[in-house]
Amino acid sequence: MPGWIFIIVRSLIFILLLFLTTKILGKKQISELSFFEYIAGITIGSIAGEVVTGLEANIYHGILACVVFGFVTWLVDFISLYSKSFRDMVEGKGTVVIKDGKILEENLKKERYTIDELSALLRQKDIFRLADVEFAVLEPRGNLTAMLKKENRPLTPKDLQMKVPNEKEPQTVIMDGNIIDEPLRIARKSRAWLYTELEKLNVSLANVFIGQVDSYGELTVDLYDDKIQVPEPQQRPLLLATLKKTQADLEIFSHQTDCEQSKAMYKKNAALMQETIDKLSPFLNG
């Protein structure tokens, strides 16, 4: 057999073997690796490369070595699921490098990290001042977890006691100019509704690269032709504006009438309308 065919055949065999091994070991093997997984991955790849190029004459020995390393890696992951002490030994434990806003120099030296490397990890999290950090842990996989001091944390709606609506996953109902019926059904919309919305936006289905229906039932589209400006959905802002106008009209009517009974009725309904606006504003503000 010619050498180039020999290499192609072995390459295809080991591509399949490595693919199956990775599928068995799971996604963690191709994401953030522990020390053991890192060593095993490099070794399996080295064995495969050596066998593919023919440096190892017996292909079965190479396959056996890959299987052994793959099995040992799987076994280590399996034992780690049930034994914390074993997991700590194999994968390591997190190291606190900042506590109460103070850098723990000894722990930093223990992990062989410099202050420059720590600063770089913090910058990756958009933290530029060490003094802003309350607590930081160097995780076993090399990434840094940091918690800012309370006064430096971004405000959340909860901090402001604001009510915000829950949002669901948007459904992609158009892709490459074609309607996808299953997401459309999940969004509880029909093709007739979709064509009506496209007509409102004055765009054709064939020109839509991707279209999504959000939690509020509104359609947003991205077009092939980027020169065309697509207006933002206005249903919610318009509804909120209508409710506010109605509330204002009721207030005006209550001041204009001389009938005390009518005045009381208008004021009562204006208050109810304002209460409704307060409850719906988080949902209707675009």
Side-chain angles (χ1 to χ4, degrees):
M1 180 185 295
W4 62 274
I5 296 180
F6 184 73
I7 291 178
I8 290 175
V9 172
R10 286 193 168 200
S11 298
L12 293 175
I13 292 173
F14 273 86
I15 287 173
L16 178 60
L17 177 63
L18 293 175
F19 174 77
L20 294 175
T21 302
T22 305
K23 292 291 286 185
I24 293 171
L25 294 178
K27 293 181 180 178
K28 189 168 70 170
Q29 183 67 17
I30 57 174
S31 58
E32 296 178 343
L33 305 179
S34 66
F35 291 124
F36 186 84
E37 291 162 346
Y38 176 73
I39 293 170
I42 290 178
T43 305
I44 291 174
S46 299
I47 293 171
E50 187 172 339
V51 175
V52 164
T53 54
L55 299 178
E56 171 59 57
N58 194 331
I59 188 173
Y60 299 107
H61 290 172
I63 293 176
L64 178 61
C66 286
V67 170
V68 168
F69 268 89
F71 174 75
V72 171
T73 304
W74 174 87
L75 184 62
V76 167
D77 286 341
F78 180 79
I79 298 174
S80 296
L81 291 175
Y82 299 97
S83 173
K84 187 179 186 308
S85 58
F86 183 81
R87 183 168 62 251
D88 290 342
M89 180 186 69
V90 173
E91 298 185 0
K93 295 189 293 185
T95 303
V96 179
V97 292
I98 300 177
K99 186 175 183 180
D100 298 328
K102 302 292 184 180
I103 298 176
L104 304 182
E105 292 85 357
E106 292 301 320
N107 287 355
L108 205 59
K109 291 178 182 178
K110 177 183 175 183
E111 295 296 336
R112 296 181 177 84
Y113 271 72
T114 66
I115 190 65
D116 291 331
E117 291 169 329
L118 177 62
S119 298
L121 291 174
L122 288 170
R123 287 195 296 272
Q124 290 176 10
K125 295 184 174 296
D126 296 328
I127 301 173
F128 294 89
R129 292 180 70 243
L130 290 169
D132 292 342
V133 182
E134 177 69 25
F135 187 80
V137 178
L138 189 62
E139 303 293 352
R141 300 180 189 277
N143 56 309
L144 186 75
T145 303
M147 181 176 70
L148 293 173
K149 293 180 179 178
K150 193 168 185 178
E151 63 269 20
N152 295 316
R153 297 174 199 168
L155 287 175
T156 65
K158 184 178 180 180
D159 296 328
L160 301 175
Q161 296 183 347
M162 293 174 55
K163 293 182 179 179
V164 293
N166 294 325
E167 293 192 2
K168 298 180 180 178
E169 175 190 3
Q171 298 295 325
T172 301
V173 296
I174 302 175
M175 188 177 293
D176 295 326
N178 298 308
I179 297 175
I180 308 176
D181 290 309
E182 181 62 19
L184 196 62
R185 182 188 64 79
I186 294 174
R188 298 180 181 179
K189 302 295 182 182
S190 65
R191 284 194 170 217
W193 172 87
L194 187 58
Y195 283 120
T196 301
E197 293 300 309
L198 290 174
E199 187 175 344
K200 289 179 183 178
L201 297 174
N202 197 27
V203 299
S204 64
L205 177 63
N207 195 27
V208 178
F209 176 61
I210 187 169
Q212 293 184 318
V213 178
D214 61 19
S215 302
Y216 304 102
E218 295 176 339
L219 178 69
T220 55
V221 297
D222 183 85
L223 305 181
Y224 283 108
D225 189 351
D226 294 329
K227 296 180 180 179
I228 299 177
Q229 297 295 322
V230 180
E232 293 291 330
Q234 295 296 319
Q235 292 93 328
R236 286 183 291 139
L238 287 175
L239 177 56
L240 182 60
T242 302
L243 291 175
K244 288 182 177 180
K245 183 179 183 304
T246 303
Q247 194 275 338
D249 288 341
L250 289 171
E251 289 281 0
I252 292 172
F253 294 156
S254 69
H255 292 295
Q256 289 180 343
T257 183
D258 294 328
C259 176
E260 292 300 324
Q261 186 177 359
S262 298
K263 185 185 295 287
M265 180 191 67
Y266 284 134
K267 284 186 175 181
K268 178 181 177 181
N269 285 292
L272 289 174
M273 183 59 69
Q274 185 60 53
E275 184 179 342
T276 301
I277 291 173
D278 293 339
K279 289 181 179 179
L280 293 180
S281 288
F283 301 90
L284 298 180
N285 279 317

